[in-house]
Amino acid sequence: MTPAPSTTADRENDQQVVEKRAYEAVIERLSKASVDKHWEPYVDIPWDDPDFQVRQDDPRWELPGVDKLGGHPWYRAQPPEVRAKIGLWRVATAMKIGLQFENLLKRGLLNYAYRLPNGSPEFRYVYHETIEEGHHGMMFQEFVNRTKLPIKGMPGPLSVLAQITPWIPLISTELFFIFVLGGEDPIDHVQRKTLREGQIKHPLEETIMRIHIAEEARHISFARHYLRRRVPRMPRHRRFLLGIVSPIVLGIMARIMLSPPGSMIRAFRIPEQVVKDVYTDNPEASAQIRDSVSKTRELCAELGMMNALQRRIWKIMGIYDDPPAKRAAR
């Protein structure tokens, strides 16, 4: 029998051992899940099934009425083939931006793994995640190719600026995994919501989305567990700075992932007033952006990164909302 700790230092050391074992058990479980349940994009997706074919005028691409743009009078007044093409363009752009983000993510993960010591429990899972993200990039690009639309993804200047992302792990692994959540949580939030509400009509889009959600759940879990383990051990000044930078990163990332693509607005000559009605001056659009980072916001609060100054930055970035308990007490 292990003797009871006799001092505060002994108790703290025992607690650290317990926490380390629990953390490593989570990583082992995630690695095993990646082996037991994974998908190959060119094996598990029936690309050439007639029902999965991508046609620009397919009415299944039309945006539903509950969609902010789909319910707008301007959109409803367009011919059916234009409505379908707009819906397809938006889906394809989201996938292109997704694969570009995951390209940055994979390079950052490999930079992180490069410095891990022998025996590190994180090494194996990081490679599992890198492989899965590679599969996601292939299935996203295959979808984009089949649309035959001139999809560009991120705006050029932003794409250039984003090239610093893979080097973030060399400066701060904690900041890098905040960035990971900034790219993955908003899309995960929207995809789960659209599936839950039955908004997806095309089986190819639904299949890709379900694969992505299932595997991203593991990636998001790893990032959260990593931050829960590492952030409390950071020096106070570094944790304070991380709490300052995090809402800036999350606010920018959520808007990149959820805002309407400028190329689509230009291609279909969507009037400026429609864009304002649907996105920039729409309280529902603002609420969607806030909601899309709610889990990461709660994690930051849990990790002690939500003091008065930091909370002010969350508000400036338009992604702060009161905790559930405080909202219920109003």
Side-chain angles (χ1 to χ4, degrees), residues 36-52:
D36 294 343
K37 194 72 172 177
H38 64 275
W39 289 264
E40 296 277 352
Y42 293 102
V43 174
D44 298 310
I45 300 176
W47 296 99
D48 297 322
D49 184 308
D51 201 41
F52 278 58

mmCIF file with all atom_site columns, all heavy atoms in Angstrom, residues 36-52:
data_model
loop_
_atom_site.group_PDB
_atom_site.id
_atom_site.type_symbol
_atom_site.label_atom_id
_atom_site.label_alt_id
_atom_site.label_comp_id
_atom_site.label_asym_id
_atom_site.label_entity_id
_atom_site.label_seq_id
_atom_site.pdbx_PDB_ins_code
_atom_site.Cartn_x
_atom_site.Cartn_y
_atom_site.Cartn_z
_atom_site.occupancy
_atom_site.B_iso_or_equiv
_atom_site.pdbx_formal_charge
_atom_site.auth_seq_id
_atom_site.auth_comp_id
_atom_site.auth_asym_id
_atom_site.auth_atom_id
_atom_site.pdbx_PDB_model_num
ATOM 1   N N   . ASP A 1 36 ? -8.784  2.797  -34.392 1.00 0.00 ? 36 ASP A N   1
ATOM 2   C CA  . ASP A 1 36 ? -10.022 2.016  -34.457 1.00 0.00 ? 36 ASP A CA  1
ATOM 3   C C   . ASP A 1 36 ? -11.078 2.632  -35.378 1.00 0.00 ? 36 ASP A C   1
ATOM 4   O O   . ASP A 1 36 ? -11.885 1.913  -35.976 1.00 0.00 ? 36 ASP A O   1
ATOM 5   C CB  . ASP A 1 36 ? -10.622 1.861  -33.047 1.00 0.00 ? 36 ASP A CB  1
ATOM 6   C CG  . ASP A 1 36 ? -9.749  1.021  -32.132 1.00 0.00 ? 36 ASP A CG  1
ATOM 7   O OD1 . ASP A 1 36 ? -8.879  0.298  -32.659 1.00 0.00 ? 36 ASP A OD1 1
ATOM 8   O OD2 . ASP A 1 36 ? -9.921  1.109  -30.902 1.00 0.00 ? 36 ASP A OD2 1
ATOM 9   N N   . LYS A 1 37 ? -11.109 3.972  -35.465 1.00 0.00 ? 37 LYS A N   1
ATOM 10  C CA  . LYS A 1 37 ? -12.175 4.638  -36.207 1.00 0.00 ? 37 LYS A CA  1
ATOM 11  C C   . LYS A 1 37 ? -11.587 5.775  -37.031 1.00 0.00 ? 37 LYS A C   1
ATOM 12  O O   . LYS A 1 37 ? -11.382 6.888  -36.539 1.00 0.00 ? 37 LYS A O   1
ATOM 13  C CB  . LYS A 1 37 ? -13.224 5.193  -35.220 1.00 0.00 ? 37 LYS A CB  1
ATOM 14  C CG  . LYS A 1 37 ? -14.536 5.604  -35.870 1.00 0.00 ? 37 LYS A CG  1
ATOM 15  C CD  . LYS A 1 37 ? -15.358 4.413  -36.331 1.00 0.00 ? 37 LYS A CD  1
ATOM 16  C CE  . LYS A 1 37 ? -16.747 4.840  -36.792 1.00 0.00 ? 37 LYS A CE  1
ATOM 17  N NZ  . LYS A 1 37 ? -17.526 3.708  -37.310 1.00 0.00 ? 37 LYS A NZ  1
ATOM 18  N N   . HIS A 1 38 ? -11.280 5.477  -38.290 1.00 0.00 ? 38 HIS A N   1
ATOM 19  C CA  . HIS A 1 38 ? -10.765 6.513  -39.175 1.00 0.00 ? 38 HIS A CA  1
ATOM 20  C C   . HIS A 1 38 ? -11.284 6.255  -40.584 1.00 0.00 ? 38 HIS A C   1
ATOM 21  O O   . HIS A 1 38 ? -11.826 5.198  -40.876 1.00 0.00 ? 38 HIS A O   1
ATOM 22  C CB  . HIS A 1 38 ? -9.229  6.539  -39.157 1.00 0.00 ? 38 HIS A CB  1
ATOM 23  C CG  . HIS A 1 38 ? -8.612  5.285  -39.683 1.00 0.00 ? 38 HIS A CG  1
ATOM 24  N ND1 . HIS A 1 38 ? -8.402  4.176  -38.890 1.00 0.00 ? 38 HIS A ND1 1
ATOM 25  C CD2 . HIS A 1 38 ? -8.172  4.944  -40.925 1.00 0.00 ? 38 HIS A CD2 1
ATOM 26  C CE1 . HIS A 1 38 ? -7.857  3.208  -39.622 1.00 0.00 ? 38 HIS A CE1 1
ATOM 27  N NE2 . HIS A 1 38 ? -7.714  3.646  -40.857 1.00 0.00 ? 38 HIS A NE2 1
ATOM 28  N N   . TRP A 1 39 ? -11.117 7.252  -41.443 1.00 0.00 ? 39 TRP A N   1
ATOM 29  C CA  . TRP A 1 39 ? -11.664 7.174  -42.800 1.00 0.00 ? 39 TRP A CA  1
ATOM 30  C C   . TRP A 1 39 ? -10.590 7.495  -43.824 1.00 0.00 ? 39 TRP A C   1
ATOM 31  O O   . TRP A 1 39 ? -9.696  8.318  -43.579 1.00 0.00 ? 39 TRP A O   1
ATOM 32  C CB  . TRP A 1 39 ? -12.821 8.170  -42.961 1.00 0.00 ? 39 TRP A CB  1
ATOM 33  C CG  . TRP A 1 39 ? -14.044 7.781  -42.217 1.00 0.00 ? 39 TRP A CG  1
ATOM 34  C CD1 . TRP A 1 39 ? -15.134 7.103  -42.691 1.00 0.00 ? 39 TRP A CD1 1
ATOM 35  C CD2 . TRP A 1 39 ? -14.342 8.059  -40.838 1.00 0.00 ? 39 TRP A CD2 1
ATOM 36  N NE1 . TRP A 1 39 ? -16.075 6.932  -41.709 1.00 0.00 ? 39 TRP A NE1 1
ATOM 37  C CE2 . TRP A 1 39 ? -15.621 7.508  -40.550 1.00 0.00 ? 39 TRP A CE2 1
ATOM 38  C CE3 . TRP A 1 39 ? -13.650 8.705  -39.811 1.00 0.00 ? 39 TRP A CE3 1
ATOM 39  C CZ2 . TRP A 1 39 ? -16.211 7.593  -39.301 1.00 0.00 ? 39 TRP A CZ2 1
ATOM 40  C CZ3 . TRP A 1 39 ? -14.225 8.792  -38.567 1.00 0.00 ? 39 TRP A CZ3 1
ATOM 41  C CH2 . TRP A 1 39 ? -15.495 8.237  -38.322 1.00 0.00 ? 39 TRP A CH2 1
ATOM 42  N N   . GLU A 1 40 ? -10.688 6.838  -44.983 1.00 0.00 ? 40 GLU A N   1
ATOM 43  C CA  . GLU A 1 40 ? -9.830  7.118  -46.129 1.00 0.00 ? 40 GLU A CA  1
ATOM 44  C C   . GLU A 1 40 ? -10.695 7.820  -47.181 1.00 0.00 ? 40 GLU A C   1
ATOM 45  O O   . GLU A 1 40 ? -11.697 7.249  -47.634 1.00 0.00 ? 40 GLU A O   1
ATOM 46  C CB  . GLU A 1 40 ? -9.268  5.826  -46.709 1.00 0.00 ? 40 GLU A CB  1
ATOM 47  C CG  . GLU A 1 40 ? -8.355  5.054  -45.761 1.00 0.00 ? 40 GLU A CG  1
ATOM 48  C CD  . GLU A 1 40 ? -6.937  5.594  -45.780 1.00 0.00 ? 40 GLU A CD  1
ATOM 49  O OE1 . GLU A 1 40 ? -6.648  6.463  -46.634 1.00 0.00 ? 40 GLU A OE1 1
ATOM 50  O OE2 . GLU A 1 40 ? -6.133  5.155  -44.938 1.00 0.00 ? 40 GLU A OE2 1
ATOM 51  N N   . PRO A 1 41 ? -10.337 9.040  -47.595 1.00 0.00 ? 41 PRO A N   1
ATOM 52  C CA  . PRO A 1 41 ? -11.223 9.798  -48.490 1.00 0.00 ? 41 PRO A CA  1
ATOM 53  C C   . PRO A 1 41 ? -11.493 9.127  -49.832 1.00 0.00 ? 41 PRO A C   1
ATOM 54  O O   . PRO A 1 41 ? -12.574 9.306  -50.392 1.00 0.00 ? 41 PRO A O   1
ATOM 55  C CB  . PRO A 1 41 ? -10.478 11.126 -48.671 1.00 0.00 ? 41 PRO A CB  1
ATOM 56  C CG  . PRO A 1 41 ? -9.070  10.867 -48.270 1.00 0.00 ? 41 PRO A CG  1
ATOM 57  C CD  . PRO A 1 41 ? -9.132  9.804  -47.230 1.00 0.00 ? 41 PRO A CD  1
ATOM 58  N N   . TYR A 1 42 ? -10.536 8.356  -50.343 1.00 0.00 ? 42 TYR A N   1
ATOM 59  C CA  . TYR A 1 42 ? -10.753 7.726  -51.652 1.00 0.00 ? 42 TYR A CA  1
ATOM 60  C C   . TYR A 1 42 ? -11.221 6.278  -51.542 1.00 0.00 ? 42 TYR A C   1
ATOM 61  O O   . TYR A 1 42 ? -11.329 5.578  -52.544 1.00 0.00 ? 42 TYR A O   1
ATOM 62  C CB  . TYR A 1 42 ? -9.487  7.841  -52.507 1.00 0.00 ? 42 TYR A CB  1
ATOM 63  C CG  . TYR A 1 42 ? -9.201  9.272  -52.890 1.00 0.00 ? 42 TYR A CG  1
ATOM 64  C CD1 . TYR A 1 42 ? -8.218  10.004 -52.235 1.00 0.00 ? 42 TYR A CD1 1
ATOM 65  C CD2 . TYR A 1 42 ? -9.964  9.906  -53.863 1.00 0.00 ? 42 TYR A CD2 1
ATOM 66  C CE1 . TYR A 1 42 ? -7.983  11.329 -52.562 1.00 0.00 ? 42 TYR A CE1 1
ATOM 67  C CE2 . TYR A 1 42 ? -9.736  11.232 -54.201 1.00 0.00 ? 42 TYR A CE2 1
ATOM 68  C CZ  . TYR A 1 42 ? -8.748  11.942 -53.544 1.00 0.00 ? 42 TYR A CZ  1
ATOM 69  O OH  . TYR A 1 42 ? -8.529  13.267 -53.862 1.00 0.00 ? 42 TYR A OH  1
ATOM 70  N N   . VAL A 1 43 ? -11.516 5.862  -50.319 1.00 0.00 ? 43 VAL A N   1
ATOM 71  C CA  . VAL A 1 43 ? -12.085 4.528  -50.087 1.00 0.00 ? 43 VAL A CA  1
ATOM 72  C C   . VAL A 1 43 ? -13.500 4.639  -49.538 1.00 0.00 ? 43 VAL A C   1
ATOM 73  O O   . VAL A 1 43 ? -14.415 3.939  -49.985 1.00 0.00 ? 43 VAL A O   1
ATOM 74  C CB  . VAL A 1 43 ? -11.206 3.715  -49.106 1.00 0.00 ? 43 VAL A CB  1
ATOM 75  C CG1 . VAL A 1 43 ? -11.885 2.388  -48.752 1.00 0.00 ? 43 VAL A CG1 1
ATOM 76  C CG2 . VAL A 1 43 ? -9.826  3.456  -49.709 1.00 0.00 ? 43 VAL A CG2 1
ATOM 77  N N   . ASP A 1 44 ? -13.680 5.552  -48.588 1.00 0.00 ? 44 ASP A N   1
ATOM 78  C CA  . ASP A 1 44 ? -14.938 5.620  -47.848 1.00 0.00 ? 44 ASP A CA  1
ATOM 79  C C   . ASP A 1 44 ? -15.940 6.627  -48.397 1.00 0.00 ? 44 ASP A C   1
ATOM 80  O O   . ASP A 1 44 ? -17.052 6.738  -47.870 1.00 0.00 ? 44 ASP A O   1
ATOM 81  C CB  . ASP A 1 44 ? -14.642 5.942  -46.373 1.00 0.00 ? 44 ASP A CB  1
ATOM 82  C CG  . ASP A 1 44 ? -13.801 4.857  -45.720 1.00 0.00 ? 44 ASP A CG  1
ATOM 83  O OD1 . ASP A 1 44 ? -14.181 3.673  -45.847 1.00 0.00 ? 44 ASP A OD1 1
ATOM 84  O OD2 . ASP A 1 44 ? -12.767 5.179  -45.110 1.00 0.00 ? 44 ASP A OD2 1
ATOM 85  N N   . ILE A 1 45 ? -15.580 7.385  -49.413 1.00 0.00 ? 45 ILE A N   1
ATOM 86  C CA  . ILE A 1 45 ? -16.509 8.334  -50.035 1.00 0.00 ? 45 ILE A CA  1
ATOM 87  C C   . ILE A 1 45 ? -16.779 7.879  -51.471 1.00 0.00 ? 45 ILE A C   1
ATOM 88  O O   . ILE A 1 45 ? -15.852 7.780  -52.269 1.00 0.00 ? 45 ILE A O   1
ATOM 89  C CB  . ILE A 1 45 ? -15.937 9.765  -50.042 1.00 0.00 ? 45 ILE A CB  1
ATOM 90  C CG1 . ILE A 1 45 ? -15.663 10.237 -48.612 1.00 0.00 ? 45 ILE A CG1 1
ATOM 91  C CG2 . ILE A 1 45 ? -16.910 10.727 -50.732 1.00 0.00 ? 45 ILE A CG2 1
ATOM 92  C CD1 . ILE A 1 45 ? -15.001 11.609 -48.524 1.00 0.00 ? 45 ILE A CD1 1
ATOM 93  N N   . PRO A 1 46 ? -18.028 7.580  -51.816 1.00 0.00 ? 46 PRO A N   1
ATOM 94  C CA  . PRO A 1 46 ? -18.349 7.101  -53.175 1.00 0.00 ? 46 PRO A CA  1
ATOM 95  C C   . PRO A 1 46 ? -18.435 8.253  -54.169 1.00 0.00 ? 46 PRO A C   1
ATOM 96  O O   . PRO A 1 46 ? -19.514 8.622  -54.660 1.00 0.00 ? 46 PRO A O   1
ATOM 97  C CB  . PRO A 1 46 ? -19.696 6.412  -52.973 1.00 0.00 ? 46 PRO A CB  1
ATOM 98  C CG  . PRO A 1 46 ? -20.344 7.167  -51.856 1.00 0.00 ? 46 PRO A CG  1
ATOM 99  C CD  . PRO A 1 46 ? -19.212 7.580  -50.935 1.00 0.00 ? 46 PRO A CD  1
ATOM 100 N N   . TRP A 1 47 ? -17.292 8.818  -54.516 1.00 0.00 ? 47 TRP A N   1
ATOM 101 C CA  . TRP A 1 47 ? -17.242 10.011 -55.341 1.00 0.00 ? 47 TRP A CA  1
ATOM 102 C C   . TRP A 1 47 ? -18.008 9.857  -56.662 1.00 0.00 ? 47 TRP A C   1
ATOM 103 O O   . TRP A 1 47 ? -18.599 10.818 -57.159 1.00 0.00 ? 47 TRP A O   1
ATOM 104 C CB  . TRP A 1 47 ? -15.790 10.377 -55.654 1.00 0.00 ? 47 TRP A CB  1
ATOM 105 C CG  . TRP A 1 47 ? -14.975 10.744 -54.457 1.00 0.00 ? 47 TRP A CG  1
ATOM 106 C CD1 . TRP A 1 47 ? -14.098 9.927  -53.788 1.00 0.00 ? 47 TRP A CD1 1
ATOM 107 C CD2 . TRP A 1 47 ? -14.955 12.005 -53.768 1.00 0.00 ? 47 TRP A CD2 1
ATOM 108 N NE1 . TRP A 1 47 ? -13.529 10.611 -52.724 1.00 0.00 ? 47 TRP A NE1 1
ATOM 109 C CE2 . TRP A 1 47 ? -14.028 11.886 -52.690 1.00 0.00 ? 47 TRP A CE2 1
ATOM 110 C CE3 . TRP A 1 47 ? -15.613 13.216 -53.962 1.00 0.00 ? 47 TRP A CE3 1
ATOM 111 C CZ2 . TRP A 1 47 ? -13.754 12.931 -51.824 1.00 0.00 ? 47 TRP A CZ2 1
ATOM 112 C CZ3 . TRP A 1 47 ? -15.334 14.267 -53.090 1.00 0.00 ? 47 TRP A CZ3 1
ATOM 113 C CH2 . TRP A 1 47 ? -14.436 14.121 -52.035 1.00 0.00 ? 47 TRP A CH2 1
ATOM 114 N N   . ASP A 1 48 ? -17.954 8.651  -57.240 1.00 0.00 ? 48 ASP A N   1
ATOM 115 C CA  . ASP A 1 48 ? -18.541 8.464  -58.572 1.00 0.00 ? 48 ASP A CA  1
ATOM 116 C C   . ASP A 1 48 ? -19.959 7.910  -58.544 1.00 0.00 ? 48 ASP A C   1
ATOM 117 O O   . ASP A 1 48 ? -20.523 7.598  -59.602 1.00 0.00 ? 48 ASP A O   1
ATOM 118 C CB  . ASP A 1 48 ? -17.629 7.545  -59.404 1.00 0.00 ? 48 ASP A CB  1
ATOM 119 C CG  . ASP A 1 48 ? -16.268 8.185  -59.634 1.00 0.00 ? 48 ASP A CG  1
ATOM 120 O OD1 . ASP A 1 48 ? -16.229 9.419  -59.836 1.00 0.00 ? 48 ASP A OD1 1
ATOM 121 O OD2 . ASP A 1 48 ? -15.252 7.471  -59.598 1.00 0.00 ? 48 ASP A OD2 1
ATOM 122 N N   . ASP A 1 49 ? -20.523 7.784  -57.367 1.00 0.00 ? 49 ASP A N   1
ATOM 123 C CA  . ASP A 1 49 ? -21.928 7.401  -57.263 1.00 0.00 ? 49 ASP A CA  1
ATOM 124 C C   . ASP A 1 49 ? -22.762 8.497  -57.944 1.00 0.00 ? 49 ASP A C   1
ATOM 125 O O   . ASP A 1 49 ? -22.562 9.693  -57.681 1.00 0.00 ? 49 ASP A O   1
ATOM 126 C CB  . ASP A 1 49 ? -22.310 7.280  -55.782 1.00 0.00 ? 49 ASP A CB  1
ATOM 127 C CG  . ASP A 1 49 ? -23.735 6.782  -55.575 1.00 0.00 ? 49 ASP A CG  1
ATOM 128 O OD1 . ASP A 1 49 ? -24.656 7.366  -56.175 1.00 0.00 ? 49 ASP A OD1 1
ATOM 129 O OD2 . ASP A 1 49 ? -23.910 5.828  -54.817 1.00 0.00 ? 49 ASP A OD2 1
ATOM 130 N N   . PRO A 1 50 ? -23.697 8.118  -58.812 1.00 0.00 ? 50 PRO A N   1
ATOM 131 C CA  . PRO A 1 50 ? -24.495 9.143  -59.513 1.00 0.00 ? 50 PRO A CA  1
ATOM 132 C C   . PRO A 1 50 ? -25.164 10.147 -58.583 1.00 0.00 ? 50 PRO A C   1
ATOM 133 O O   . PRO A 1 50 ? -25.285 11.332 -58.913 1.00 0.00 ? 50 PRO A O   1
ATOM 134 C CB  . PRO A 1 50 ? -25.538 8.313  -60.275 1.00 0.00 ? 50 PRO A CB  1
ATOM 135 C CG  . PRO A 1 50 ? -24.877 6.991  -60.483 1.00 0.00 ? 50 PRO A CG  1
ATOM 136 C CD  . PRO A 1 50 ? -24.032 6.755  -59.258 1.00 0.00 ? 50 PRO A CD  1
ATOM 137 N N   . ASP A 1 51 ? -25.594 9.691  -57.403 1.00 0.00 ? 51 ASP A N   1
ATOM 138 C CA  . ASP A 1 51 ? -26.271 10.593 -56.472 1.00 0.00 ? 51 ASP A CA  1
ATOM 139 C C   . ASP A 1 51 ? -25.297 11.564 -55.813 1.00 0.00 ? 51 ASP A C   1
ATOM 140 O O   . ASP A 1 51 ? -25.709 12.563 -55.239 1.00 0.00 ? 51 ASP A O   1
ATOM 141 C CB  . ASP A 1 51 ? -27.005 9.782  -55.398 1.00 0.00 ? 51 ASP A CB  1
ATOM 142 C CG  . ASP A 1 51 ? -28.104 10.587 -54.734 1.00 0.00 ? 51 ASP A CG  1
ATOM 143 O OD1 . ASP A 1 51 ? -28.819 11.328 -55.448 1.00 0.00 ? 51 ASP A OD1 1
ATOM 144 O OD2 . ASP A 1 51 ? -28.238 10.498 -53.493 1.00 0.00 ? 51 ASP A OD2 1
ATOM 145 N N   . PHE A 1 52 ? -23.980 11.262 -55.889 1.00 0.00 ? 52 PHE A N   1
ATOM 146 C CA  . PHE A 1 52 ? -22.963 12.099 -55.259 1.00 0.00 ? 52 PHE A CA  1
ATOM 147 C C   . PHE A 1 52 ? -22.326 13.079 -56.241 1.00 0.00 ? 52 PHE A C   1
ATOM 148 O O   . PHE A 1 52 ? -21.433 13.828 -55.863 1.00 0.00 ? 52 PHE A O   1
ATOM 149 C CB  . PHE A 1 52 ? -21.865 11.225 -54.642 1.00 0.00 ? 52 PHE A CB  1
ATOM 150 C CG  . PHE A 1 52 ? -22.205 10.670 -53.287 1.00 0.00 ? 52 PHE A CG  1
ATOM 151 C CD1 . PHE A 1 52 ? -23.327 9.884  -53.088 1.00 0.00 ? 52 PHE A CD1 1
ATOM 152 C CD2 . PHE A 1 52 ? -21.391 10.930 -52.187 1.00 0.00 ? 52 PHE A CD2 1
ATOM 153 C CE1 . PHE A 1 52 ? -23.640 9.372  -51.843 1.00 0.00 ? 52 PHE A CE1 1
ATOM 154 C CE2 . PHE A 1 52 ? -21.693 10.419 -50.934 1.00 0.00 ? 52 PHE A CE2 1
ATOM 155 C CZ  . PHE A 1 52 ? -22.822 9.644  -50.757 1.00 0.00 ? 52 PHE A CZ  1
#
